[in-house]
């Protein structure tokens, strides 16, 4: 925000498999962090109903549409190993929008990258699970088919 990448930040998420026992929604915790780091509340939208990636995007789009705001570009933030499915889901729901990913690692995952992701004990199962989800969601029609965007 402070660097001018985005004039508006939309924090999305109620809870997911890894956060379902946490009291506050993911979006509310993100909002608190953004405010702490100096982003004005007026520049933050929150969507607190979604429980998975597809809902994050569908519900966020609905919120943007209700405000009459459909951006020409989206900079989305996600885990590095999740960026492919995020892109395919975003592309399905925002087909005319320029999409850019800003990825991050789980703490302790420094040094893990594309060249060693499948050979690292902490990530090989996650990569395979993400691959399976891309196939499943592609067949269901929830995401753009890989290679057809």
């Amino acid at each position: 925000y402070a660097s001018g990448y985005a004039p508006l930040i939309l924090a999305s998420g109620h809870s997911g498999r890894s956060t379902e026992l946490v009291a506050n929604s993911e979006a509310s915790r993100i909002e608190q962090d953004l405010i702490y780091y100096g982003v004005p509340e007026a520049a933050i939208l929150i969507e607190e109903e979604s429980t998975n990636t597809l809902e994050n995007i569908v519900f966020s789009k609905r919120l943007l549409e209700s405000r009459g705001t459909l951006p020409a570009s989206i900079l989305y933030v996600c885990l590095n190993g999740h960026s492919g499915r995020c892109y395919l889901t975003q592309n399905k729901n925002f087909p005319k929008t320029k999409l850019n990913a800003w990825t991050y690692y789980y703490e302790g995952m420094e040094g893990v990258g594309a060249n060693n992701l499948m050979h690292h004990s902490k990530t090989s199962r996650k990569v395979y699970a993400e691959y399976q989800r891309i196939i499943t969601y592609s067949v269901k029609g929830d995401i753009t088919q890989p290679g057809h965007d």
Side-chain angles (χ1 to χ4, degrees), residues 11-51:
S12 178
H14 180 269
S15 65
R17 284 178 288 177
S18 62
T19 60
E20 58 194 15
L21 300 177
V22 179
N24 295 338
S25 71
E26 290 175 319
S28 135
R29 291 192 312 278
I30 293 167
E31 178 187 36
Q32 290 168 9
D33 287 346
L34 291 169
I35 292 168
Y36 175 82
Y37 286 107
V39 177
E41 285 185 59
I44 304 169
L45 296 176
I46 62 169
E47 178 285 303
E48 297 184 282
E49 301 302 318
S50 56
T51 60

Side-chain angles (χ1 to χ4, degrees), residues 8 39 44 49 52 57 59 65 74 77-78 80 98 104 106 112 126 132 135 139-140 143-144 147:
L8 182 67
V39 177
I44 304 169
E49 301 302 318
N52 60 49
I57 294 164
F59 296 174
E65 288 173 336
I74 293 174
V77 180
C78 62
N80 62 330
K98 182 179 179 190
Y104 65 94
Y106 279 121
V112 177
K126 291 179 187 275
Q132 289 178 311
I135 292 170
V139 169
K140 286 174 57 180
I143 64 174
T144 302

Side-chain angles (χ1 to χ4, degrees), residues 104-120:
Y104 65 94
Y105 294 95
Y106 279 121
E107 188 173 328
M109 297 303 294
E110 298 80 8
V112 177
N115 61 338
N116 65 351
L117 203 58
M118 284 302 293
H119 304 291
H120 194 281

Side-chain angles (χ1 to χ4, degrees), residues 39-95:
V39 177
E41 285 185 59
I44 304 169
L45 296 176
I46 62 169
E47 178 285 303
E48 297 184 282
E49 301 302 318
S50 56
T51 60
N52 60 49
T53 302
L54 177 62
E55 288 180 357
N56 286 131
I57 294 164
V58 170
F59 296 174
S60 293
K61 182 179 182 183
R62 185 181 312 147
L63 175 61
L64 290 169
E65 288 173 336
S66 75
R67 295 174 46 90
T69 306
L70 276 179
S73 65
I74 293 174
L75 173 64
Y76 59 96
V77 180
C78 62
L79 284 165
N80 62 330
H82 184 51
S83 62
R85 182 161 50 101
C86 282
Y87 171 81
L88 295 169
T89 309
Q90 296 268 10
N91 192 52
K92 174 81 176 189
N93 290 277
F94 292 95

